[in-house]
Amino acid sequence: MFLKRARLARSMPKWKEEWKVWGNVFDRYTEENLVKLSKQGHITELVSPLSIGKESNIFTVASPHGTIVAKIYRVQNCNFKHMYDYIIADPRYGNIKPGKRQIILSWITREFRNIMLARQGGVTVPKPIALEGNVIMMELIDGQQLKDDAPDNPKAFLDTLLKEVATLWKAGLVHGDLSAFNVLNFQQKPVLIDFSQGSSVEAFNAQELLERDLTNVREYFRKLGVPLDVVRASKRIRQGYKPQRGRDTP
């Protein structure tokens, strides 16, 4: 064990010591995964923390791809019971056993898989780059959270956002945690982020998740003077969304 730790310490890039103070994110398991990603050519330097959360920390990363994002789950802090309740409802993971480590790693893998499926389906999301254990690497989008950057034209932005939600549904996914926190305003267009609670549209509670997402969206845009009929929008999305003409928002 001592020799393994010594080899690991020698293999860690110089930035490890500088950044480990941020949220105690660099436990040994994380270090091992960062070393693997560095050897794979995905990391040359951790640049700065974007956010420090209870269950995950997000860093900007210098890499041969340019500046990208590393989302690092703090495995010891994850609420695996909460994760299990969500993941067991997803038919893609219906046979998963309730072991803490398996649940957490399946949760992380599912998030990466959701981003890939969304992007392949034509949804505007960050490009997924790599996954290693508890670390997800993806494209950095130079936009702000919608909660901090209201759109210049709220109605047009909402219409585009609903198209994205409909495209996501057509791709077989529902976001499950859509809100002004998990939508970026990038050049006055929405970019969907944080797919950790994303589920298959075949899940028994998929419609419930969709309408919860739409309710969150409605509450944000209501403050900007733009109405949204959640039931009507949900039906349109599930049947094939088409933008409504005229003044009324779908």
Side-chain angles (χ1 to χ4, degrees):
M1 180 65 70
F2 175 79
L3 291 176
K4 183 177 180 180
R5 289 187 176 182
R7 287 195 297 270
L8 179 62
R10 288 196 298 270
S11 64
M12 280 300 296
K14 294 180 180 179
W15 40 257
K16 178 258 182 180
E17 288 297 326
E18 181 179 356
W19 291 107
K20 71 178 181 180
V21 297
W22 291 98
N24 295 319
V25 69
F26 291 100
D27 58 17
R28 189 159 62 91
Y29 178 63
T30 300
E31 291 175 0
E32 291 172 348
N33 291 325
L34 290 172
V35 167
K36 291 176 183 178
L37 288 164
S38 180
K39 289 181 177 179
Q40 292 166 15
H42 295 300
I43 301 176
T44 55
E45 181 184 5
L46 290 181
V47 179
S48 64
L50 284 179
S51 67
I52 303 297
K54 182 179 179 181
E55 294 188 345
S56 66
N57 297 343
I58 300 177
F59 290 84
T60 53
V61 175
S63 80
H65 312 286
T67 302
I68 60 176
V69 167
K71 182 174 183 178
I72 304 174
Y73 273 90
R74 303 168 68 182
V75 175
Q76 296 303 319
N77 290 38
C78 289
N79 184 343
F80 85 98
K81 292 182 179 179
H82 168 78
M83 292 177 172
Y84 181 72
D85 289 341
Y86 269 90
I87 206 168
I88 196 64
D90 190 331
R92 297 174 297 173
Y93 295 85
N95 295 324
I96 194 169
K97 296 181 180 179
K100 180 176 181 179
R101 188 173 185 82
Q102 183 181 4
I103 292 296
I104 293 172
L105 293 181
S106 294
W107 179 271
I108 298 168
T109 301
R110 186 177 75 146
E111 179 175 2
F112 187 77
R113 180 182 178 186
N114 285 343
I115 300 170
M116 290 185 65
L117 289 173
R119 189 172 178 88
Q120 290 168 1
V123 184
T124 306
V125 299
K127 178 182 178 181
I129 294 173
L131 168 68
E132 191 66 55
N134 64 325
V135 183
I136 295 175
M137 307 198 71
M138 67 191 88
E139 175 188 13
L140 173 65
I141 303 295
D142 188 19
Q144 296 187 56
Q145 289 172 298
L146 190 58
K147 71 180 183 68
D148 297 322
D149 187 12
D152 295 339
N153 187 332
K155 184 181 183 302
F157 194 98
L158 174 59
D159 190 60
T160 303
L161 178 56
L162 292 175
K163 291 178 186 177
E164 295 287 351
V165 175
T167 302
L168 183 64
W169 185 274
K170 187 176 180 180
L173 293 172
V174 57
H175 189 281
D177 192 27
L178 195 63
S179 72
F181 288 84
N182 292 330
V183 176
L184 299 181
N185 184 349
F186 177 64
Q187 298 179 354
Q188 299 303 312
K189 299 291 183 182
V191 179
L192 276 57
I193 61 171
D194 195 350
F195 281 78
S196 59
Q197 295 185 28
S199 189
S200 167
V201 297
E202 300 299 324
F204 73 89
N205 61 342
Q207 182 176 341
E208 176 186 345
L209 293 175
L210 173 62
E211 293 183 358
R212 186 177 69 184
D213 285 350
L214 293 173
T215 298
N216 291 338
V217 169
R218 179 190 66 190
E219 292 307 300
Y220 174 82
F221 282 93
R222 180 177 59 83
K223 297 174 184 177
L224 301 179
V226 182
L228 174 65
D229 185 326
V230 168
V231 174
R232 188 179 182 189
S234 171
K235 184 177 180 180
R236 286 187 166 204
I237 287 168
R238 287 180 286 114
Q239 293 181 347
Y241 175 76
K242 295 180 181 179
Q244 180 173 307
R245 296 180 180 179
R247 293 185 177 181
D248 294 335
T249 302

